[in-house]
Amino acid sequence: MPEQPRQSRVAVIGGGPAGLMAAETARAAGAHVDVFEAKGSVGRKFLIAGKGGLNLTHSDGRDAFDARYGKRRDAVSAWLDAFDPRALRDWARALGVDTYVGSSGRVFPLDRKAAPLLRGWVRRLRESGVQFHVHHRWIGWDDDGLLRFDTPDGALAIAADAVILALGGGSWPQLGSDGAWEAILRARGVDVAELQPANCGFDIEWSAHFAGRHAGAPLKPVVAYWTDAEGEHALQGECVVTATGVEGSLVYALSAMLRDTIATSGSATLQLDLAPGRTLERLRADLAQPRAGRSLSEHLRRQAGIEGVKAGLLYEVLGKACGEDMSALADAIKRLPLTLKRPRPLAEAISTAGGVRLEAMDAALMLQPTSGQLPEGVFCAGEMLDWEAPTGGYLLSACFASGRRAGRGAVDWLRSRAAAADHPPTA
């Protein structure tokens, strides 16, 4: 009986969406796959994302979709070519989870829950032969190139033919994405961009009075204005006042620009239109009406529809004397400047910027060996790579797509290595 070919062993380290997709792809191509997870279960951050309804992807056309990845557009677009938002929805449907497009263009499961999708996915992976090892915290390689893990039973060293790292970024460390891999890879000569908060809130340093009265209050609708090298831009949405500043979907959409501006200039200015439904001319006319003994707060409410946190914000930024010039007050309502001092800490951010630079790997997401410091056949996927995107389904889409790219790349690399061993070059 002919000897059966040995299955190559692929070790996937990290049980988030990118890691699980890499495992699924490599297993479907015939590799023996082990998934190692530091926590007691996989997909913990995925489940947290699902608490808001699991925004799986977005219905944007590809040009608009790809543009969300900024300077990494071309690289991420290549990943998406093999697993685009439509393919992601089809994949979810094969797991028994149908999706729908919401009014904002975002795509959600019909039940808006993450747990059924994750349970069905893990079950299918187990049935296909993927082996799961939880409470295995990766701590690097030993001198022989074996993977080292801390486990409840002590230290463990494991051999693998190929390794896919899908360890997440540095946000939400309590769920496993603590960025500890950064020092391990840097010590091996891998080029890693500093991890920074993305899709995060910003500090403004409110007065104690304003923060105590309005923290948690939504600002909606508002239009944000900002200026960069390309000129002035505007975006309508909503955000939330926090005890220290602002956060929310409108702020998250601008967080990369705001963070980078603060890094270079020390602060960033965001102007808010608190009355987007009224023109400046109408607002000036409305506020010019006689107050008839009413307080400024009551006049703002009656004549401009400004009350609550919006009125409080005017007093906070302009001071109590803001009612002395109604024309200037109207100008401020349409363009209220907020000075953002710093992004919130990385551990609080929804996602991470920075990570393993794409220039340090090939198109299949395999790290290039660095002077013998790094074993061959090491791939990376997901949020630990140096890319970022706003919320809205773009983050998960790229994590899934990069996991698929790394899983396919690992199998192709193993096959090319096996073919070279079977047919060595002749002298």
Side-chain angles (χ1 to χ4, degrees):
M1 183 175 180
E3 182 180 351
Q4 293 297 312
R6 173 182 173 274
Q7 275 191 319
S8 296
R9 183 175 189 178
V10 176
V12 177
I13 305 177
L20 296 181
M21 182 56 75
E24 178 177 284
T25 303
R27 181 66 191 134
H32 177 96
V33 178
D34 292 271
V35 174
F36 298 92
E37 167 60 43
K39 296 296 184 179
S41 59
V42 299
R44 291 196 174 190
K45 192 174 180 183
F46 184 71
L47 291 175
I48 290 295
K51 284 191 173 182
L54 189 61
N55 181 193
L56 197 58
T57 186
H58 202 284
S59 62
D60 277 345
R62 274 298 300 275
D63 282 347
F65 197 100
D66 293 357
R68 297 290 189 166
Y69 300 98
K71 64 183 180 181
R72 293 302 193 186
R73 171 179 180 153
D74 291 345
V76 178
S77 179
W79 308 343
L80 293 169
D81 284 343
F83 197 68
D84 64 11
R86 171 53 62 183
L88 178 52
R89 296 182 69 182
D90 291 342
W91 170 86
R93 185 178 301 110
L95 283 167
V97 176
D98 285 324
T99 57
Y100 74 96
V101 179
S103 58
S104 65
R106 301 182 181 200
V107 175
F108 302 90
L110 288 179
D111 62 5
R112 296 180 64 87
K113 296 178 180 179
L117 177 60
L118 181 62
R119 282 198 302 267
W121 191 10
V122 172
R123 181 171 59 250
R124 188 171 74 181
L125 289 171
R126 290 186 187 278
E127 290 171 352
S128 74
V130 173
Q131 301 293 309
F132 287 85
H133 311 271
V134 297
H135 296 301
H136 280 59
R137 182 177 181 81
W138 181 65
I139 54 174
W141 292 273
D142 68 12
D143 292 340
D144 297 320
L146 300 179
L147 296 165
R148 297 172 58 229
F149 294 92
D150 276 339
T151 78
D153 298 321
L156 187 66
I158 293 175
D161 298 307
V163 177
I164 300 172
L165 302 176
L167 292 159
S171 61
W172 290 79
Q174 66 272 33
L175 301 179
S177 299
D178 59 10
W181 54 265
E182 187 178 4
I184 297 173
L185 294 186
R186 278 206 174 115
R188 294 273 177 166
V190 177
D191 190 6
V192 180
E194 179 186 0
L195 298 181
Q196 301 181 75
N199 292 294
C200 59
F202 291 83
D203 287 341
I204 295 177
E205 298 179 353
W206 305 124
S207 67
H209 172 78
F210 179 80
R213 187 166 185 178
H214 296 292
L219 279 167
K220 62 178 184 179
V222 292
V223 173
Y225 292 91
W226 71 98
T227 302
D228 60 18
E230 298 178 358
E232 185 177 73
H233 309 272
L235 182 65
Q236 181 164 327
E238 59 186 73
C239 53
V240 176
V241 169
T242 69
T244 62
V246 288
E247 65 178 20
S249 58
L250 179 60
V251 176
Y252 300 156
L254 308 177
S255 63
M257 178 275 300
L258 295 171
R259 182 196 66 231
D260 293 346
T261 299
I262 291 171
T264 57
S265 304
S267 65
T269 299
L270 197 61
Q271 294 180 319
L272 292 186
D273 180 353
L274 302 181
R278 303 190 189 209
T279 65
L280 177 59
E281 290 72 20
R282 178 190 165 186
L283 195 57
R284 284 174 173 168
D286 290 339
L287 290 177
Q289 297 299 313
R291 287 170 58 173
R294 291 189 291 268
S295 68
L296 177 59
S297 294
E298 180 63 13
H299 189 63
L300 283 169
R301 186 186 70 81
R302 288 192 180 205
Q303 299 301 127
I306 299 292
E307 59 184 323
V309 65
K310 288 186 176 181
L313 196 58
L314 286 171
Y315 291 131
E316 175 74 6
V317 175
L318 304 177
K320 288 294 184 180
C322 63
E324 295 177 357
D325 184 337
M326 287 298 162
S327 179
L329 181 57
D331 292 345
I333 290 172
K334 296 299 288 183
R335 291 293 186 100
L336 187 68
L338 300 182
T339 301
L340 280 55
K341 302 294 183 65
R342 68 192 70 85
R344 292 299 296 164
L346 178 58
E348 296 180 16
I350 290 176
S351 60
T352 303
V356 177
R357 295 189 192 274
L358 302 188
E359 292 79 9
M361 51 186 54
D362 65 16
L365 300 183
M366 185 174 76
L367 288 170
Q368 300 304 296
T370 51
S371 303
Q373 299 179 69
L374 189 73
E376 290 187 308
V378 179
F379 297 75
C380 296
E383 201 178 330
M384 69 182 293
L385 300 179
D386 182 22
W387 61 275
E388 63 179 307
T391 57
Y394 311 103
L395 290 166
L396 274 177
S397 289
C399 283
F400 280 113
S402 67
R404 190 176 182 90
R405 171 65 67 101
R408 183 72 253 175
V411 171
D412 289 345
W413 179 77
L414 288 168
R415 286 176 176 169
S416 66
R417 192 175 67 160
D422 290 340
H423 302 285
T426 58

